[in-house]
Amino acid sequence: MKKFVRYTLYTLGGIAVVVGGMAAYVRTALPNVGAAPEITVEITPERVERGHYLAWHVMMCMDCHSERDWSLFSGPPTPGTEGVGGDVFDERIGFPGVFLSRNLTPASLKDWSDGEIYRAITMGVKKDGEPIFPVMPWMNYGRMDDEDIHAVIAYLRTLDPVPADHPTGRADFPMSLIMRTLPVRNTPGKRPDPITQPVAYGEYILNAAACGDCHTRFEKGEFTGPFLAGGREFVLPGGILRTPNLTPHETGIGAWTRESFIARFKQYEEGHYVPHQVDPGDFQTIMPWMMYAGMTEQDLGAIHDYLRTVPPVENSVVRFEAAQ
């Protein structure tokens, strides 16, 4: 009996050493995507214009890296906070910890090289080597054309420097270890031609906009539903929001024409719509309609063209349930 107990203790001790060693390795050696590339992004008017378009209307950099006003429909950025960061993603909305978006203005990024910004956007690793929680869809951005990423970097360099002192976020265990294993080297692609390759171009824009992140069911830290079939839940102060089905099934966008799809976005375009007040219990959404409304009709139409090609999935979604 004593021998058995001693053997058990030795075994448990060995396991503890192995687990401890693995945890130490993850904490100290990961993430490991290599040094930031040595690049210098030339700031040209064309790049800045393209970067502004992507940051505001496709990649939604200015959506997450601002403080959103949830008293208004769709939570538009609070004027004066655009790009300054401070948006909070925490346990109240299902995240494993507390994560805050950082300041993207030169007040914060002036000491970052273009390569360090590039690595953060496309590989999920900060200047100090720490990982970025994938609420920022750097995995999507890592598949984009380098020229588009360079355009965003050029645009960020032109922002007014606005100092901001945000609290430090934290990841709960075991996510604090798991997120260190996630960053990988990016695999940039080429932006397809929107005229000759409209479906491939639509897929490219949809990836850049990270539509699949919200419109795919997500539970307990992983995607569990069919891609783009909707059903992901977000707990909002006034109730539970569920994202709609974007597949070409009749429970999704099967009946939507290209024109009606574009019009759905354009109804929120600046000059046509003023955000209305949302009272407790009223329908609210995290979808940044006013920002996506600035996307070109060509890009919106291409997204629709691509969505028509994905497998149709039956999934009727109850969009919103008011808090009791």
Side-chain angles (χ1 to χ4, degrees):
M1 184 65 179
K2 289 182 179 180
K3 183 181 293 186
F4 172 77
V5 171
R6 187 165 58 249
Y7 175 78
T8 301
L9 291 175
Y10 287 157
T11 301
L12 292 176
I15 292 173
V17 169
V18 171
V19 171
M22 292 175 62
Y25 171 79
V26 170
R27 287 194 188 97
T28 58
L30 299 179
N32 181 18
V33 298
E38 295 184 6
I39 59 174
T40 299
V41 175
E42 182 184 0
I43 300 176
T44 65
E46 294 76 18
R47 270 193 175 142
V48 172
E49 181 181 8
R50 175 68 177 171
H52 178 277
Y53 174 71
L54 291 170
W56 275 94
H57 304 301
V58 181
M59 296 166 66
M60 293 292 109
C61 310
M62 294 299 160
D63 171 54
C64 288
H65 290 271
S66 305
E67 293 183 17
R68 298 178 69 176
D69 183 355
W70 293 109
S71 70
L72 299 176
F73 179 70
S74 188
T78 301
T81 71
E82 298 92 337
V84 181
D87 202 9
V88 179
F89 304 85
D90 59 15
E91 294 92 341
R92 294 172 299 173
I93 51 176
F95 285 89
V98 180
F99 307 93
L100 293 92
S101 60
R102 70 167 297 121
N103 185 349
L104 294 185
T105 76
S108 175
L109 295 181
K110 63 181 183 298
D111 295 328
W112 289 49
S113 70
D114 290 341
E116 286 166 342
I117 298 175
Y118 176 91
R119 185 177 65 173
I121 294 174
T122 63
M123 303 180 217
V125 178
K126 303 176 188 176
K127 176 183 174 69
D128 62 6
E130 289 297 300
I132 298 173
F133 185 71
V135 62
M136 173 179 161
W138 46 262
M139 288 180 245
N140 294 59
Y141 301 157
R143 297 193 293 271
M144 292 178 63
D145 194 311
D146 274 349
E147 178 53 39
D148 275 344
I149 303 301
H150 292 173
V152 171
I153 294 171
Y155 170 65
L156 295 180
R157 294 297 197 195
T158 70
L159 296 176
D160 291 333
V162 181
D165 184 19
H166 302 307
T168 302
R170 58 160 179 80
D172 295 337
F173 183 83
M175 182 52 67
S176 56
L177 293 180
I178 293 172
M179 64 185 284
R180 304 189 74 86
T181 70
L182 300 179
V184 294
R185 291 198 65 83
N186 64 318
T187 54
K190 286 296 181 182
R191 175 160 43 110
D193 183 83
I195 304 301
T196 61
Q197 301 171 283
V199 172
Y201 180 72
E203 183 179 14
Y204 178 89
I205 295 296
L206 181 137
N207 169 76
C211 304
D213 282 18
C214 286
H215 289 272
T216 303
R217 190 166 63 248
F218 187 88
E219 299 167 311
K220 297 180 180 178
E222 61 181 347
F223 290 102
T224 59
F227 183 56
L228 295 172
R232 182 169 183 175
E233 292 189 352
F234 293 90
V235 179
L236 304 178
I240 297 176
L241 171 74
R242 297 182 185 88
T243 55
N245 183 353
L246 295 186
T247 74
H249 190 269
E250 61 182 15
T251 58
I253 63 166
W256 291 47
T257 65
R258 196 175 196 268
E259 292 70 26
S260 63
F261 184 83
I262 294 171
R264 180 72 174 90
F265 287 83
K266 287 299 182 180
Q267 68 176 314
Y268 296 106
E269 198 165 20
E270 186 176 0
H272 296 286
Y273 175 76
V274 176
H276 62 269
Q277 192 81 24
V278 175
D279 295 324
D282 287 352
F283 176 79
Q284 178 59 295
T285 180
I286 65 168
M287 175 80 166
W289 282 111
M290 282 72 77
M291 300 180 78
Y292 280 133
M295 206 182 298
T296 65
E297 291 193 9
Q298 181 182 66
D299 285 4
L300 289 169
I303 290 175
H304 180 268
D305 292 343
Y306 168 68
L307 289 175
R308 301 298 300 181
T309 70
V310 304
V313 178
E314 182 176 0
N315 187 27
S316 183
V317 177
V318 176
R319 293 284 310 282
F320 188 78
E321 289 184 12
Q324 300 298 317

